[in-house]
Amino acid sequence: MKQMVTAKDVAKLAGVSQSSVSRVYFEGAKVSAKTRAKVLAAAEELGYHPNEFARSLITNRTKIIGLVMKGVQNPFYPQVLKQFTTAFKKQGYSVLFVHTQNEELQREDVETLLNYNVAGVIITDATMSLTVAEDFRANRIPLVFFNRKLNTGGFYSVCCNNLNASREVARYLIGKGAKDFAYISGNSDTSTSREREEGFVEILEQSGIPYRIYQSDYTYEGGYQTALNMLEGGHLPAAVFAGNDIMALGVIDAFRKKSIHVPGDTKVIGFDNIDMAGWPGYGLTTWEQPIEKMVEETIHYLMDEIEEYKGFGRALEIEGRLVERETV
Amino acid sequence: MKQMVTAKDVAKLAGVSQSSVSRVYFEGAKVSAKTRAKVLAAAEELGYHPNEFARSLITNRTKIIGLVMKGVQNPFYPQVLKQFTTAFKKQGYSVLFVHTQNEELQREDVETLLNYNVAGVIITDATMSLTVAEDFRANRIPLVFFNRKLNTGGFYSVCCNNLNASREVARYLIGKGAKDFAYISGNSDTSTSREREEGFVEILEQSGIPYRIYQSDYTYEGGYQTALNMLEGGHLPAAVFAGNDIMALGVIDAFRKKSIHVPGDTKVIGFDNIDMAGWPGYGLTTWEQPIEKMVEETIHYLMDEIEEYKGFGRALEIEGRLVERETV
DNA sequence: CTGAAAGCGCTTACAG
DNA sequence: CTGAAAGCGCTTACAG
């Protein structure tokens, strides 16, 4: 149906061989300036574009990175997506975007990634079963878990240091004189929520400070509802640590609704430092995830492994920082 | 480097021809149940995946849709992205995600799309020069502008009916008794902002109601700052229509900061109906864009044109609806 | 229903 | 520096 312009067409018009046309478009190949000029002129006239598929077929490598995302609702992820796409563009890579509904990447999505023979894969905010992960390994496709850790070893993951962060958060809140805490967890099957809980609780236990854990789901509505439930249960803690910012915003709005003053009556702290945390309407004190650094490290690793596959695994943890605003 | 398992390998193990292996994986081809079983078993054992690149090369069509986005910061777009990806997955298509910084799609990004010989392209929240658009036409690649109109004809675009919407918004506000209006525009080079301004102003002119136009940029900070500027200029209109929700939220927060009560002192209405508009903290009255319908129509058109390219152009406008909450 | 063979548009040794 | 030729992993007429 589609009438593609091929290197052969260009070669004919330019009066050179098809190999020469190829060389003009292949980085690192040598062509004389004269040939190049002829080819470029002919290509321009015909509207030629080298076919990436033919190229990938023969070189046996692609310039595609598979980017898998789950939580597109959380404003944290659009930022991540944007940073990845622009960074990869600079490296000459394109991104194949895969959206998954589930916490675990489905086999069907993996098939797609494998069929396209992607150069590398980033799994954001989701995990996958070990057997599926092994599929990538068998195909020597480098894989990074971004903001999520796999409990089974041997894989590369890039996270914020959640354990340290939540310890710091606990110490900070204690330093502010709070005597009674709540932690609102995200989805319990996520490593981030588990670690944030663990570090937080660890310090509270050490200090003998009472606390309660509320189970939620990393959404605004979840945070809102949880705060309401707290109040209905007659429990207003001196400080609440929400597993992420978007829940913290829900908590603040629920408190506001019930005329509970933040930080006067109770303190609220979040995690991520999404744009909205800085909005004057909220002024949320939070722990900032070093996205830029995390993205950078992810790409660095991926490029190394694409260059030479080693299947190197490691749980990389990058330190974030406290951002003080008005809710503590 | 990478040792791919090919159809040939599977054929050898299964004791059939390579053609038979191909037929098992190609929809619509006929194979006996016995052959299929043998092939599937062998494929499973070897971990075979058909190479999409070889497939595309021979069929001369791809299962990739190029999705171009600009405004990933606006929460409106993650929703759009998610809907597109899931809908395309159902149709067996994958999405190549392209992020552009500029209002106009850069040639470099177009090259990528062309090199991958994408089956279709969606341009979201951005436009492109006519010469670039012609590149797609020359390659018979269907193209849709989503939420943006090209002033030059002949292209397909899917938008909310912005003109009607803003007329309705004006009538609604007038009906609420407001006597003095402001419109806060988004980036002036966008068709959406121009049309929303036009429809709004049209009704106000007809009714002889005074108004002012404030130039802004579709961001929260822009809305916030504009509202502050209004007040500093000594102008508190009876109602402000913000070109999108995210600006409206900024306006509300600025008013709140200055102790101006919404909707008591002034009314605020937005456009989009992003998730946050419904948050209890804001309760923003707004005009809802029918995203689901818009996505559906876009995909419908694209699939038709992929099936048989006609290069059919049209500015499709879909009616949205008013969502009344607490700011008017 | 199945297999042998041609060919999709490229890259890349190999000669010259 | 350039061209002729092989080959990447598939699909698809064409016979049988």
Side-chain angles (χ1 to χ4, degrees), chain A residues 210-227:
Chain A
Y211 63 89
R212 288 208 210 163
I213 308 289
Y214 292 86
Q215 195 66 12
S216 191
D217 61 359
Y218 274 150
T219 68
Y220 173 89
E221 291 75 18
Y224 189 83
Q225 202 48 56
T226 303

Side-chain angles (χ1 to χ4, degrees), chain A residues 220-242:
Chain A
Y220 173 89
E221 291 75 18
Y224 189 83
Q225 202 48 56
T226 303
L228 251 32
N229 293 347
M230 260 182 209
L231 298 177
E232 274 176 25
H235 174 229
L236 179 65
V240 357
F241 174 28

Side-chain angles (χ1 to χ4, degrees), chain A residues 125-167:
Chain A
D125 198 30
T127 57
M128 62 203 304
S129 70
L130 199 56
T131 58
V132 172
E134 290 296 348
D135 273 357
F136 287 109
R137 189 167 279 174
N139 287 279
R140 304 170 72 78
I141 295 174
L143 178 63
V144 180
F145 290 93
F146 187 88
N147 205 26
R148 200 76 15 135
K149 241 189 250 181
L150 224 53
N151 38 15
T152 39
F155 292 96
Y156 201 89
S157 64
V158 176
C159 289
C160 173
N161 189 333
N162 290 301
L163 223 44
N164 262 352
S166 51
R167 284 182 193 129

Side-chain angles (χ1 to χ4, degrees), chain B residues 17 19-20 23 30-32 35 57-58:
Chain B
S17 75
S19 321
S20 290
R23 286 184 184 108
K30 300 179 199 311
V31 233
S32 68
T35 307
L57 187 57
I58 193 87

Side-chain angles (χ1 to χ4, degrees), chain B residues 89-115:
Chain B
K89 192 196 287 183
K90 240 174 257 163
Q91 306 269 1
Y93 283 80
S94 300
V95 349
L96 197 72
F97 181 83
V98 175
H99 180 264
T100 171
Q101 310 277 13
N102 314 73
E103 176 66 18
E104 277 205 357
L105 190 55
Q106 302 299 290
R107 177 152 286 265
E108 167 195 358
D109 297 319
V110 177
E111 301 275 318
T112 303
L113 262 11
L114 256 21
N115 291 356

Side-chain angles (χ1 to χ4, degrees), chain B residues 312-326:
Chain B
F312 174 57
R314 172 186 178 191
L316 184 64
E317 313 227 302
I318 303 177
E319 301 300 328
R321 62 180 257 269
L322 182 72
V323 177
E324 291 194 77
R325 280 191 276 249
E326 301 140 36

